[in-house]
Amino acid sequence: MHTIKRDFNSSLAEKAIRDARSPGFQLKDSGLSGIQYRYVVTLFGFFTYFELDCFRTATSMSIVKMVNSTAVNFKKSLNDTIDSCPLYNMVMEEIFLESDAEGEYNWSPEIQGYVLSAGFLGYVISQLPGGLAAETYGAKRVYLSGVLLASLAHLLSPLAAWHSCYTLIVIQLLRGLGQGFQSPANSVVTANWFPKHERGFLNSLIFLGSGVGSFITYTTSGAMCSSSTLLGGWPSVYFIYGGLGLVLSLCIHLFLYDSPKEHPNIGRVELLYILENQENDLFQKKPPTPWNKILTSIPVYVMTFSVFSHFWAFTHQISEHPIFLANILHFPIETIR
C-alpha cells in the first residue's frame, strides 16, 4: 500500500512536467517581459527579512527618545552616582531641570526591557506553529498574515505607548508573533520556487535583507526620532516603516504565489527549469517527524547551541546598543550608527 502511495506521489512531479511541456498548456512562452519570477520571490524574501530587523532596530532606537532617562536615573540615585559616564561635570539637579527636552515616559529599565524583549518572545513562540500552518494551509496565507500582523502592530505602537507601557508590550508581542510566521512560510515558498542548485545563492540574497534592514534603520532612525517636524519625532519610525510594511503586504497579496505552477504569467521555459531541478519528494506526503531521534541527536544540540548563541548575541546587540550609547556614553541619538 505504501509503495503504491509513493509511486502515485512521485508521478505528480512527472505529470506536472509533462503538462508544462504539452502544447495545450496555457502558459506564455517567455513570461511577462522576460521576467524570471523566482527572482521576484527572492525580492519578496529580501524585503521580508529587511522588515524583520527594521522593526526591531527602530523600536530600540525609538526607546532612547521615548524615555526620559535623566529623570529615571535621578530617581534611582540620591547621591549623584549613576551607572553612566560623567557628563561635562554638570550637577545632577541641573540635568534634571533640563530633562523636559527628553522623552515623555519615565519607564524604568525593567519596563524598557519588557518592551524590547516582547517582540523576540513572540518571534520564538510562533516559529513552529507558523511552519506547520504554512505546510497545511498554504505558505502564502501564513506569509501574508505574518507580514500584515507585524506591520499593523508596528504602525500602532505609538498609540499603544500613549495608552500605557503594558499596552505597548502586548503590541510588541503581537509584532513578534507576526514575524515568527514569516521565516518558516518563506522557507516553504522558496522550497517550491528555487531550483536545488540555486537555493544557496538565492537564500543568501534573502538573508542579506536582515543586515541591510538593520544598517538602513540605524542610519536613518536617529535623525527621524530627533526631528521636531517629521510626524512628531520618534513616532515617525513606527508610522513610516509600518506603512512600508503594509505596502509589502499588498505586494505579497497581489504578486506572490505558493508555487510556480500557480503563477498565471510564468514562462514555459522557467516553469520547466524549476520543476526539472527540484527533488521529486517535494510532491510526496511527508513521513512522521522522528522526534525521538531529533531529541537524542548530539549534532542537533550542537547546531541548536550554535544558532542560539548567534541569535542571542545579534539580538542583544541591536536591542541594547542604542540605549547603551545614548544613556551610558551620552552619544546624541543622531550620531548612533
Side-chain angles (χ1 to χ4, degrees):
M1 184 67 178
H2 293 292
T3 304
I4 295 175
K5 287 183 178 180
R6 283 197 299 269
D7 292 341
F8 174 76
N9 289 322
S10 298
S11 67
L12 292 177
E14 298 175 2
K15 182 178 182 301
I17 296 174
R18 287 198 304 271
D19 289 342
R21 285 174 172 168
S22 64
F25 196 65
Q26 298 299 316
L27 275 175
K28 297 186 178 182
D29 289 335
S30 59
L32 183 62
S33 302
I35 293 176
Q36 299 293 301
Y37 284 97
R38 65 188 184 278
Y39 299 146
V40 176
V41 173
T42 305
L43 195 62
F44 279 128
F46 174 89
F47 283 115
T48 297
Y49 277 88
F50 180 98
E51 166 258 355
L52 201 69
D53 280 332
C54 173
F55 288 177
R56 294 170 177 169
T57 305
T59 302
S60 302
M61 294 288 284
S62 67
I63 286 287
V64 176
K65 275 296 183 181
M66 294 169 68
V67 176
N68 190 330
S69 58
T70 303
V72 171
N73 287 332
F74 183 75
K75 290 178 181 179
K76 289 182 63 178
S77 175
L78 299 177
N79 300 318
D80 293 343
T81 56
I82 59 175
D83 297 328
S84 64
C85 296
L87 184 62
Y88 306 125
N89 296 320
M90 290 186 186
V91 207
M92 194 62 184
E93 288 81 359
E94 292 178 356
I95 302 176
F96 181 70
L97 291 175
E98 294 176 0
S99 63
D100 294 357
E102 295 197 30
E104 54 194 285
Y105 303 108
N106 295 334
W107 295 340
S108 66
E110 290 77 14
I111 293 295
Q112 296 176 51
Y114 295 148
V115 171
L116 294 174
S117 62
F120 294 109
L121 176 62
Y123 185 75
V124 171
I125 291 174
S126 58
Q127 287 276 312
L128 186 57
L132 295 174
E135 292 185 338
T136 304
Y137 303 107
K140 179 180 176 178
R141 292 181 180 179
V142 179
Y143 204 153
L144 178 60
S145 300
V147 175
L148 184 61
L149 176 59
S151 301
L152 285 173
H154 192 73
L155 186 69
L156 295 176
S157 290
L159 304 180
W162 293 328
H163 183 266
S164 77
C165 61
Y166 301 105
T167 308
L168 178 59
I169 292 172
V170 172
I171 287 292
Q172 288 296 308
L173 179 66
L174 292 176
R175 189 258 297 167
L177 289 172
Q179 291 182 320
F181 289 145
Q182 297 170 28
S183 296
N186 178 74
S187 297
V188 175
V189 170
T190 56
N192 292 334
W193 272 92
F194 293 167
K196 55 188 177 183
H197 58 275
E198 290 186 4
R199 286 177 189 162
F201 175 69
L202 295 180
N203 277 306
S204 298
L205 295 179
I206 288 176
F207 296 140
L208 182 63
S210 176
V212 174
S214 295
F215 172 76
I216 291 181
T217 310
Y218 262 126
T219 55
T220 58
S221 293
M224 293 166 64
C225 289
S226 300
S227 173
S228 58
T229 58
L230 184 62
L231 299 175
W234 64 263
S236 63
V237 298
Y238 294 100
F239 294 145
I240 293 177
Y241 294 136
L244 292 176
L246 294 181
V247 173
L248 177 61
S249 303
L250 179 61
C251 292
I252 290 173
H253 173 67
L254 295 176
F255 304 117
L256 183 66
Y257 293 84
D258 280 312
S259 70
K261 298 190 298 296
E262 299 177 12
H263 202 296
N265 293 319
I266 191 171
R268 185 189 306 274
V269 174
E270 184 182 14
L271 178 61
L272 285 172
Y273 175 71
I274 294 173
L275 294 179
E276 290 175 347
N277 289 280
Q278 286 188 331
E279 298 85 351
N280 290 338
D281 55 7
L282 288 176
F283 296 86
Q284 296 183 14
K285 183 178 179 180
K286 293 179 175 57
T289 303
W291 289 111
N292 185 48
K293 291 184 178 180
I294 292 175
L295 296 177
T296 56
S297 171
I298 293 179
V300 167
Y301 285 104
V302 172
M303 181 61 68
T304 301
F305 178 77
S306 174
V307 173
F308 175 85
S309 301
H310 165 77
F311 188 74
W312 183 87
F314 175 73
T315 53
H316 187 272
Q317 171 77 5
I318 66 175
S319 298
E320 299 296 335
H321 182 246
I323 295 177
F324 177 79
L325 290 179
N327 296 344
I328 306 303
L329 300 182
H330 307 300
F331 279 91
I333 191 175
E334 300 89 339
T335 66
I336 296 178
R337 299 288 187 270

